[in-house]
Amino acid sequence: MSNQTHDYRQRFFIQDSPVRGDIVHLADSYRQITAQRPYPNALQKLLGEMLVAASLLIGTLKINGRLSIQLQHPSEATDEQARLAWAMAECDHQGHVRALADWSGDWTNLNTADEALATLGKAGEGVLFINVQPDSMFGVQSEGYQGIVERVSNNLAECLTHYQQQSVQIPTVIKLAADGTQAGGILLQLLPRGNADINDQRDDDNNIDTLTAAEMLEGMTDADLFPRLSILTDTLKPEELTDLPAKEILLRLYHEEPVSTIDAVPLTFACTCSREKSASAIFQLGKTEAMAIADEHGGEIALDCGFCGQVYRFNKADIEMIFA
């Protein structure tokens, strides 16, 4: 198998039908992210799946902003059992990705993303949600959206597929895979067919009315197209998602269908940290407490970013300037 090294989201369409999809591949950015901390093997894989999922889902939205997938354990750790305290993975409309997680306990015997997700607790325990935050406009912060995702299983793709079908009410297939070095995934959706041909709506395919799956299928020339494509998509093996380029995946799955693509969107690791944001965090402490912390740490405060490893140092003169 080929060793794909660049990172992208590739959109595709089944011509003359309301079916579209995306394929995401991450390698360089994924390795850069997981190298920031000594993540257990299983957690590396879960973070890879989360990064791919965020990159797929933001492609279904027409926003300037970011989408994150977040996990949170409901309680504090009490023993040495493997436990995921929290995790988040994010992608913005420019294709910038980042992720971070905190964990505790012994993860030695855990090897898969599903096992990592299971450390949130039994079904119904732990919190899994999608957060969408549009960019501010004209200096005014836009209102965001948060959707709670039901943990129907310990498989992230199954949970997100269920969410899309039940909450968003768009028939969707999602497949995710990560091996610790590369990560990949595919999303297939059945969109409502309007009066215009669906392929003429590529730049506006998120401004759609919500219809039932039955209504969507009724408007299709080939009513069994989406069910058939769903079955084909489900045959993808994890190693195919992580190792194969999008073109080969599409050829293997849908070689009997008229598939068209547009230019792929490059995905890269990027962090939003800055010295200004670190200074703002110190300001929130108050001058007295900030100075006390500096005294305890050799005359400075050092703030490190968990996403990228950058360290921002502020000596007492810097702290005085923050509160000037």
Side-chain angles (χ1 to χ4, degrees), residues 197-217:
D197 185 89
I198 195 71
N199 289 297
D200 293 332
Q201 302 177 16
R202 294 179 184 177
D203 294 329
D204 199 31
D205 56 15
N206 296 289
N207 297 328
I208 55 178
D209 295 325
T210 299
L211 301 175
T212 66
E215 290 171 324
M216 295 179 195
L217 288 169

Side-chain angles (χ1 to χ4, degrees), residues 55 78 111 197 216:
S55 303
T78 57
N111 298 300
D197 185 89
M216 295 179 195

Side-chain angles (χ1 to χ4, degrees), residues 11 29 35 39 76 79 89 93 119 167 178 184 208 226 266 272 282 296:
R11 172 145 296 182
S29 57
Y39 292 112
E76 296 293 330
D79 52 37
H93 69 281
T119 66
S167 299
I208 55 178
F226 187 76
T272 61
I282 292 174
E296 293 173 1

Side-chain angles (χ1 to χ4, degrees), residues 1 20 35 85 110 151 159-160 182 253 262 273 283 300:
M1 293 186 179
R20 70 148 188 216
L110 303 184
R151 276 188 63 204
C159 294
L160 295 175
Q182 300 185 109
L253 290 180
I262 57 177
C273 73
F283 183 80
E300 72 171 18

